[in-house]
Amino acid sequence: MLLIPAIDIKDGHCVRLEQGDMNRSTVFSEDPAAMAKHWLSKGARRLHLVDLNGAFAGKPKNEAAIKSILKAVGSDIPVQLGGGIRDLETIERLLDDGISTIIIGTAAVKNPGFLQDACTAFAGHIMVGLDAKDGKVATDGWSKLTGHEVIDLAKKFEDYGAEAIIYTDIGRDGMLKGINLEATVKLAQSVRIPVIASGGLSSKKDIQALCAVEDEGVMGVIAGRSIYNGDIDLAEAQQYADQLSKAK
Protein backbone atom coordinates (compact mmCIF):
# COMPACT_ATOMS: atom_id res chain seq x y z
CA MET A 1 0.00 0.00 0.00
CA LEU A 2 1.65 3.18 -1.23
CA LEU A 3 1.11 6.46 0.57
CA ILE A 4 1.53 9.05 -2.17
CA PRO A 5 2.07 12.67 -1.05
CA ALA A 6 0.10 15.22 -3.06
CA ILE A 7 1.67 18.48 -4.14
CA ASP A 8 -1.13 20.66 -5.45
CA ILE A 9 0.24 23.71 -7.23
CA LYS A 10 -1.65 27.00 -7.48
CA ASP A 11 0.09 30.18 -8.69
CA GLY A 12 3.46 28.46 -8.20
CA HIS A 13 2.76 27.62 -4.54
CA CYS A 14 2.01 24.33 -2.80
CA VAL A 15 -1.58 24.49 -1.51
CA ARG A 16 -4.47 22.34 -0.34
CA LEU A 17 -8.07 23.00 -1.34
CA GLU A 18 -11.25 22.05 0.44
CA GLN A 19 -13.61 20.06 -1.81
CA GLY A 20 -11.82 21.38 -4.88
CA ASP A 21 -12.79 25.00 -4.23
CA MET A 22 -10.06 27.37 -5.49
CA ASN A 23 -11.36 30.04 -3.12
CA ARG A 24 -10.81 27.76 -0.11
CA SER A 25 -7.10 27.12 -0.38
CA THR A 26 -4.38 26.94 2.27
CA VAL A 27 -0.80 27.70 1.22
CA PHE A 28 1.55 25.16 2.82
CA SER A 29 4.71 26.17 1.00
CA GLU A 30 5.87 28.80 -1.47
CA ASP A 31 8.54 26.36 -2.67
CA PRO A 32 7.00 23.18 -4.16
CA ALA A 33 10.48 21.77 -4.96
CA ALA A 34 11.52 22.00 -1.29
CA MET A 35 8.26 20.29 -0.35
CA ALA A 36 8.99 17.48 -2.83
CA LYS A 37 12.44 16.98 -1.26
CA HIS A 38 10.84 16.95 2.17
CA TRP A 39 8.47 14.11 1.24
CA LEU A 40 11.34 12.25 -0.42
CA SER A 41 13.32 12.50 2.84
CA LYS A 42 10.25 11.12 4.66
CA GLY A 43 10.34 7.96 2.58
CA ALA A 44 7.84 8.80 -0.18
CA ARG A 45 8.06 6.28 -3.04
CA ARG A 46 5.96 8.29 -5.47
CA LEU A 47 4.71 11.88 -5.80
CA HIS A 48 1.31 13.09 -7.00
CA LEU A 49 1.35 16.55 -8.60
CA VAL A 50 -1.71 18.54 -9.61
CA ASP A 51 -1.56 21.74 -11.63
CA LEU A 52 -4.67 23.38 -10.16
CA ASN A 53 -4.57 26.43 -12.42
CA GLY A 54 -4.14 24.05 -15.34
CA ALA A 55 -7.19 22.02 -14.33
CA PHE A 56 -9.37 25.11 -14.64
CA ALA A 57 -7.60 26.63 -17.66
CA GLY A 58 -7.48 23.40 -19.68
CA LYS A 59 -3.73 23.67 -20.24
CA PRO A 60 -0.66 23.49 -17.95
CA LYS A 61 -0.01 26.71 -16.07
CA ASN A 62 2.64 25.78 -13.51
CA GLU A 63 5.33 24.15 -15.63
CA ALA A 64 8.16 26.14 -13.99
CA ALA A 65 7.20 24.77 -10.56
CA ILE A 66 6.77 21.27 -11.99
CA LYS A 67 10.23 21.38 -13.59
CA SER A 68 11.75 22.56 -10.31
CA ILE A 69 10.20 19.55 -8.54
CA LEU A 70 11.54 17.16 -11.17
CA LYS A 71 14.98 18.69 -10.83
CA ALA A 72 14.79 18.38 -7.03
CA VAL A 73 13.86 14.68 -6.93
CA GLY A 74 15.75 13.59 -10.05
CA SER A 75 15.16 9.95 -10.89
CA ASP A 76 14.83 8.90 -7.24
CA ILE A 77 11.07 8.36 -7.37
CA PRO A 78 8.34 8.35 -10.03
CA VAL A 79 6.24 11.49 -10.33
CA GLN A 80 2.67 11.53 -11.63
CA LEU A 81 0.96 14.70 -12.85
CA GLY A 82 -2.56 15.81 -13.65
CA GLY A 83 -4.35 19.08 -14.35
CA GLY A 84 -5.34 20.52 -17.70
CA ILE A 85 -3.64 17.97 -19.95
CA ARG A 86 -5.67 17.93 -23.14
CA ASP A 87 -3.39 17.01 -26.08
CA LEU A 88 -0.71 14.51 -27.09
CA GLU A 89 1.99 17.16 -27.59
CA THR A 90 1.65 18.28 -23.97
CA ILE A 91 1.90 14.67 -22.77
CA GLU A 92 5.03 14.10 -24.84
CA ARG A 93 6.64 17.29 -23.52
CA LEU A 94 5.87 16.44 -19.88
CA LEU A 95 7.16 12.88 -20.22
CA ASP A 96 10.33 14.25 -21.84
CA ASP A 97 10.70 16.61 -18.86
CA GLY A 98 10.75 13.60 -16.53
CA ILE A 99 7.14 12.99 -15.47
CA SER A 100 6.58 9.22 -15.15
CA THR A 101 2.81 9.06 -15.49
CA ILE A 102 0.25 11.49 -16.85
CA ILE A 103 -3.19 11.66 -15.23
CA ILE A 104 -6.03 12.48 -17.60
CA GLY A 105 -9.28 13.50 -15.97
CA THR A 106 -11.73 15.90 -17.62
CA ALA A 107 -10.41 15.18 -21.12
CA ALA A 108 -10.95 11.43 -20.62
CA VAL A 109 -14.63 12.01 -19.89
CA LYS A 110 -15.27 14.70 -22.51
CA ASN A 111 -13.05 13.29 -25.25
CA PRO A 112 -12.60 9.51 -24.84
CA GLY A 113 -10.92 9.33 -28.26
CA PHE A 114 -8.09 11.48 -26.91
CA LEU A 115 -7.61 9.12 -23.97
CA GLN A 116 -7.54 6.14 -26.30
CA ASP A 117 -4.93 7.84 -28.50
CA ALA A 118 -2.86 8.75 -25.44
CA CYS A 119 -2.94 5.18 -24.07
CA THR A 120 -1.84 3.88 -27.49
CA ALA A 121 0.90 6.47 -28.05
CA PHE A 122 2.25 6.42 -24.49
CA ALA A 123 1.45 2.91 -23.27
CA GLY A 124 2.30 2.42 -19.62
CA HIS A 125 2.35 6.16 -18.87
CA ILE A 126 -1.33 7.09 -18.67
CA MET A 127 -3.61 6.99 -15.62
CA VAL A 128 -7.18 8.20 -15.44
CA GLY A 129 -8.46 10.46 -12.69
CA LEU A 130 -12.13 9.87 -11.91
CA ASP A 131 -13.51 12.42 -9.48
CA ALA A 132 -16.99 11.73 -8.23
CA LYS A 133 -19.78 12.93 -6.01
CA ASP A 134 -22.47 10.42 -5.05
CA GLY A 135 -21.16 8.01 -7.69
CA LYS A 136 -21.42 10.54 -10.55
CA VAL A 137 -18.29 11.79 -12.32
CA ALA A 138 -17.36 15.49 -12.17
CA THR A 139 -15.21 17.42 -14.65
CA ASP A 140 -13.58 20.84 -15.14
CA GLY A 141 -11.83 21.08 -11.79
CA TRP A 142 -14.90 19.46 -10.19
CA SER A 143 -17.08 22.41 -11.17
CA LYS A 144 -19.41 20.36 -13.41
CA LEU A 145 -21.25 17.17 -12.47
CA THR A 146 -21.96 14.73 -15.31
CA GLY A 147 -24.48 11.93 -15.51
CA HIS A 148 -21.77 9.30 -15.97
CA GLU A 149 -21.40 6.46 -13.47
CA VAL A 150 -17.84 5.97 -12.18
CA ILE A 151 -17.75 2.20 -12.74
CA ASP A 152 -19.07 2.41 -16.32
CA LEU A 153 -16.35 4.87 -17.31
CA ALA A 154 -13.64 2.98 -15.42
CA LYS A 155 -14.39 -0.21 -17.37
CA LYS A 156 -14.30 1.68 -20.65
CA PHE A 157 -11.00 3.37 -19.83
CA GLU A 158 -9.48 0.07 -18.72
CA ASP A 159 -10.27 -1.31 -22.18
CA TYR A 160 -8.46 1.66 -23.72
CA GLY A 161 -5.28 0.71 -21.86
CA ALA A 162 -5.17 3.03 -18.84
CA GLU A 163 -2.56 1.93 -16.28
CA ALA A 164 -4.61 2.72 -13.18
CA ILE A 165 -7.58 4.72 -11.89
CA ILE A 166 -7.25 7.45 -9.28
CA TYR A 167 -10.63 7.66 -7.60
CA THR A 168 -11.42 10.83 -5.64
CA ASP A 169 -14.50 11.36 -3.52
CA ILE A 170 -14.99 15.11 -3.94
CA GLY A 171 -17.16 15.47 -0.86
CA ARG A 172 -14.31 14.23 1.33
CA ASP A 173 -11.30 15.84 -0.34
CA GLY A 174 -9.39 18.11 2.02
CA MET A 175 -12.01 17.56 4.73
CA LEU A 176 -10.20 14.85 6.78
CA LYS A 177 -13.42 12.83 6.95
CA GLY A 178 -11.94 9.46 6.09
CA ILE A 179 -11.70 7.55 2.81
CA ASN A 180 -14.87 6.44 1.05
CA LEU A 181 -13.79 2.81 1.39
CA GLU A 182 -17.02 1.23 0.17
CA ALA A 183 -17.05 3.10 -3.16
CA THR A 184 -13.30 2.61 -3.65
CA VAL A 185 -13.51 -1.16 -3.12
CA LYS A 186 -16.59 -1.44 -5.33
CA LEU A 187 -14.67 0.28 -8.12
CA ALA A 188 -11.53 -1.84 -7.58
CA GLN A 189 -13.60 -5.02 -7.77
CA SER A 190 -15.13 -3.87 -11.07
CA VAL A 191 -11.83 -3.45 -12.95
CA ARG A 192 -8.61 -5.43 -13.35
CA ILE A 193 -6.26 -2.42 -13.26
CA PRO A 194 -5.15 -0.95 -9.89
CA VAL A 195 -7.13 1.76 -8.11
CA ILE A 196 -5.57 4.56 -6.07
CA ALA A 197 -7.83 6.01 -3.39
CA SER A 198 -8.02 9.77 -2.92
CA GLY A 199 -9.94 12.20 -0.77
CA GLY A 200 -10.34 12.21 3.00
CA LEU A 201 -7.32 10.28 4.34
CA SER A 202 -7.20 11.30 8.00
CA SER A 203 -5.76 8.62 10.29
CA LYS A 204 -3.96 5.31 10.78
CA LYS A 205 -7.41 3.75 10.93
CA ASP A 206 -7.89 4.69 7.24
CA ILE A 207 -4.53 3.12 6.39
CA GLN A 208 -5.46 -0.06 8.24
CA ALA A 209 -8.77 -0.23 6.38
CA LEU A 210 -7.06 0.32 3.01
CA CYS A 211 -4.42 -2.35 3.69
CA ALA A 212 -7.24 -4.78 4.48
CA VAL A 213 -8.64 -4.31 0.93
CA GLU A 214 -5.28 -4.20 -0.88
CA ASP A 215 -5.98 -7.61 -2.42
CA GLU A 216 -9.15 -6.23 -4.03
CA GLY A 217 -6.92 -4.05 -6.22
CA VAL A 218 -6.40 -0.89 -4.15
CA MET A 219 -2.68 -0.18 -4.59
CA GLY A 220 -2.27 3.16 -2.87
CA VAL A 221 -3.75 6.31 -1.43
CA ILE A 222 -3.11 9.99 -2.09
CA ALA A 223 -2.10 11.76 1.11
CA GLY A 224 -2.88 15.47 1.27
CA ARG A 225 -4.04 17.66 4.13
CA SER A 226 -3.45 14.96 6.78
CA ILE A 227 0.31 14.85 6.17
CA TYR A 228 0.56 18.64 5.81
CA ASN A 229 -1.30 19.23 9.07
CA GLY A 230 0.74 16.57 10.84
CA ASP A 231 -2.27 14.35 11.61
CA ILE A 232 -0.33 11.58 9.85
CA ASP A 233 3.45 11.22 9.88
CA LEU A 234 4.28 9.99 6.38
CA ALA A 235 7.35 7.94 7.34
CA GLU A 236 5.58 6.21 10.25
CA ALA A 237 2.41 5.65 8.22
CA GLN A 238 4.25 4.05 5.29
CA GLN A 239 6.15 1.80 7.69
CA TYR A 240 2.85 0.84 9.34
CA ALA A 241 1.30 0.04 5.95
CA ASP A 242 4.32 -2.07 5.01
CA GLN A 243 4.02 -4.05 8.25
CA LEU A 244 0.31 -4.68 7.69
CA SER A 245 0.94 -5.83 4.11
CA LYS A 246 3.73 -8.21 5.20
CA ALA A 247 1.57 -9.65 7.98
CA LYS A 248 -1.00 -10.97 5.49
Side-chain angles (χ1 to χ4, degrees), residues 4-139:
I4 309 169
I7 299 180
D8 291 358
I9 307 165
K10 180 189 175 194
D11 305 330
H13 300 152
C14 174
V15 306
R16 295 301 298 163
L17 304 184
E18 288 182 20
Q19 296 180 316
D21 188 339
M22 288 286 267
N23 296 315
R24 292 159 72 193
S25 68
T26 307
V27 176
F28 281 100
S29 171
E30 294 189 2
D31 187 348
M35 189 55 75
K37 284 172 94 168
H38 170 70
W39 296 131
L40 187 61
S41 73
K42 286 291 227 165
R45 295 172 197 162
R46 190 175 192 94
L47 287 178
H48 175 79
L49 308 188
V50 181
D51 182 341
L52 291 171
N53 301 99
F56 285 88
K59 59 182 177 182
K61 289 286 185 181
N62 284 289
E63 287 194 66
I66 291 160
K67 281 182 180 176
S68 71
I69 289 169
L70 291 168
K71 191 176 175 185
V73 302
S75 57
D76 290 345
I77 55 171
V79 177
Q80 60 196 45
L81 169 70
I85 299 163
R86 305 278 196 273
D87 60 73
L88 298 178
E89 286 167 42
T90 300
I91 295 174
E92 187 170 21
R93 185 175 74 248
L94 292 167
L95 291 175
D96 285 345
D97 285 344
I99 294 291
S100 307
T101 314
I102 297 293
I103 304 156
I104 301 176
T106 293
V109 181
K110 289 185 161 182
N111 185 3
F114 162 62
L115 176 67
Q116 198 164 17
D117 289 345
C119 289
T120 302
F122 308 104
H125 295 282
I126 305 296
M127 286 183 184
V128 173
L130 286 178
D131 309 324
K133 197 171 185 179
D134 304 322
K136 302 289 187 193
V137 174
T139 61

Side-chain angles (χ1 to χ4, degrees), residues 121-167:
F122 308 104
H125 295 282
I126 305 296
M127 286 183 184
V128 173
L130 286 178
D131 309 324
K133 197 171 185 179
D134 304 322
K136 302 289 187 193
V137 174
T139 61
D140 299 277
W142 300 353
S143 60
K144 294 173 186 170
L145 209 56
T146 71
H148 296 292
E149 296 284 342
V150 170
I151 288 172
D152 292 344
L153 283 184
K155 286 179 175 176
K156 186 163 128 182
F157 298 158
E158 175 181 45
D159 290 342
Y160 288 171
E163 274 292 289
I165 304 281
I166 298 175
Y167 173 65

